[in-house]
Amino acid sequence: MEKLKRAVAIHDISGVGKCSLTVALPIISSAGIECSVLPTAVLSTHTGGFTGFTYRDLTEDMPSISDHWQSLDIKFDAIYTGFLGSFQQLDLTGKFFDTFRTDDNIILVDPVMADNGSLYSIFKPEFASGMLKLCSQADIIVPNLTEAALLTGTPYNPGPYTRLYIEKILKQLSSTGPKKVVLTGVYFDREELGSATYDAITGEISYAFAGRIPGYYHGTGDVFGSVLLSALMNGFTLSEAAAIAVHFTASSIKKTAAAGTDIRFGVNFEQTIPELIEALKKD
Ligand code: PXL
C-alpha cells in the first residue's frame, strides 16, 4: 500500500451552502488523501446570496494551531488555501507557507475574492494587493477571470475570450511568481465553459471544456480547486488534472440543475464522487 499523502486545507467553514471546507474535506478525502484543516472562520452560511449570516473570525487561533503542528513536526504534501477574510489572515497564511514549505510539497492558492466582475461584498478593493502577494508565494494559483483581472490590474472582460487574451493573462499571472496557473471560467463561445492552464517551466498551455449549463452556481470554484489538487496529488499532470476538475464540476452542476436545487446551497458534488474515483484510476 502506498503511503497516504496529507494535504492541509486553509479555508472557512460555512455551515450551510456547500463551499470551502465542506467541499474540500469530502472531495480530497474521497480522492484517497488525508485532509487536515486549518479553519479561518465559522459562518452560518457563505456570504453569497444569503443575508444575516454569522461570522466568527478565527484569526487569533491560526498562529497557535501552526505552532502546535510545528512542535509535532507535522509535514504536508500540499497546502491548499481558499477564502481568507482579512489582510491579517493573508499575512499569517504567507507565514504558514514559509514554515511548512518543503522541497517537494505543492502550495496551491485559490485567490477567492470575486466573481462575475465584482469583488465579494465583504472585501475592500485593496484586498487584491494582499492576495497578489500571497499568490506570489504559491506554486499554483487558480483564479477565475474576475480575480485574474484584479490580480493583473486590468479591467474585467466578461468574455467571450480569445486564445490571445487568455494566454496573455496566464503569462502575466505567472510572471508574478507562481510557476503554474489555472484560469477558470474560460470560454470562446456560448456553448462551452472550462479552464486554461499554463506551466511556465515547460511553456505548455492547455484547455479543457465541458458543455455550459446556464446559471450561476455557488461553491463551484472550491469544487474545481479541490478536484484539481486531488488529481495532482494522485500523480496527474496539470493539464490532466484541470480536465478532470472541469468534467467533475460540470457533472456536479448538471445534477444540481436537474434536481432543481436552490443555487445558493452549492452543487450536488456528492453524487459525482463515484466519477472522481473512476477518473483518478490509472490504467
Ligand atoms: O466559495 C467561495 C466562498 C468561500 N467561503 C465563503 C464565501 C465564499 C463565496 O462567496 O462567502 C465564506
Side-chain angles (χ1 to χ4, degrees):
M1 207 64 192
E2 252 179 76
K3 187 174 163 275
L4 191 66
K5 288 191 176 169
R6 178 189 293 130
V8 57
I10 309 180
H11 300 240
D12 67 282
I13 304 180
S14 290
V16 162
K18 287 171 285 182
C19 66
S20 40
L21 283 184
T22 60
V23 164
L25 249 177
I27 290 181
I28 293 170
S29 300
S30 68
I33 295 152
E34 178 182 338
C35 186
S36 304
V37 297
L38 203 174
T40 56
V42 180
L43 292 85
S44 52
T45 65
H46 63 65
T47 65
F50 296 103
T51 51
F53 51 83
T54 67
Y55 191 116
R56 180 167 303 275
D57 183 81
L58 297 177
T59 305
E60 250 181 63
D61 296 88
M62 291 174 69
S64 35
I65 291 172
S66 171
D67 289 349
H68 183 220
W69 288 345
Q70 204 181 355
S71 78
L72 296 172
D73 198 26
I74 305 283
K75 303 278 187 249
F76 300 107
D77 298 293
I79 304 171
Y80 168 34
T81 76
F83 181 93
L84 298 167
S86 63
F87 273 100
Q88 204 187 344
Q89 289 200 342
L90 292 172
D91 195 46
L92 290 169
T93 304
K95 292 199 170 90
F96 186 93
F97 292 171
D98 293 338
T99 307
F100 290 96
R101 183 191 300 279
T102 66
D103 289 340
D104 51 10
N105 66 2
I106 302 174
I107 299 187
L108 189 152
V109 171
D110 181 352
V112 175
M113 59 183 165
D115 208 353
N116 273 323
S118 335
L119 205 61
Y120 291 141
S121 57
I122 66 154
F123 295 123
K124 295 201 171 70
E126 308 81 80
F127 191 75
S129 63
M131 191 55 97
L132 179 63
K133 187 164 169 244
L134 190 69
C135 286
S136 74
Q137 293 177 260
D139 299 308
I140 308 177
I141 60 168
V142 192
N144 60 38
L145 274 136
T146 309
E147 290 155 350
L150 290 165
L151 293 171
T152 54
T154 52
Y156 171 65
N157 172 354
Y161 306 101
T162 61
R163 277 175 188 257
L164 193 69
Y165 177 82
I166 293 298
E167 292 172 18
K168 189 169 161 224
I169 295 258
L170 285 170
K171 289 177 185 171
Q172 236 176 312
L173 286 166
S174 174
S175 71
T176 65
K179 293 284 174 284
K180 294 179 183 178
V181 178
V182 181
L183 257 183
T184 59
V186 174
Y187 71 102
F188 299 134
D189 59 57
R190 302 267 162 202
E191 306 302 313
E192 290 192 316
L193 185 65
S195 71
T197 73
Y198 176 57
D199 182 330
I201 305 282
T202 63
E204 189 190 352
I205 288 174
S206 76
Y207 292 93
F209 294 102
R212 177 195 282 272
I213 300 119
Y216 175 81
Y217 290 84
H218 282 275
T220 51
D222 300 327
V223 169
F224 183 93
S226 301
V227 175
L228 180 81
L229 181 68
S230 297
L232 289 168
M233 294 183 79
N234 273 282
F236 289 87
T237 64
L238 187 67
S239 58
E240 289 168 339
I244 293 171
V246 163
H247 291 110
F248 183 89
T249 309
S251 182
S252 301
I253 294 174
K254 218 182 202 172
K255 292 179 180 66
T256 318
T261 311
D262 180 334
I263 58 162
R264 297 175 303 171
F265 288 83
V267 293
N268 296 10
F269 71 85
E270 298 89 336
Q271 294 163 321
T272 317
I273 281 178
E275 293 168 36
L276 176 63
I277 292 168
E278 200 50 42
L280 295 178
K281 279 186 188 152
K282 290 258 174 65
D283 5 77

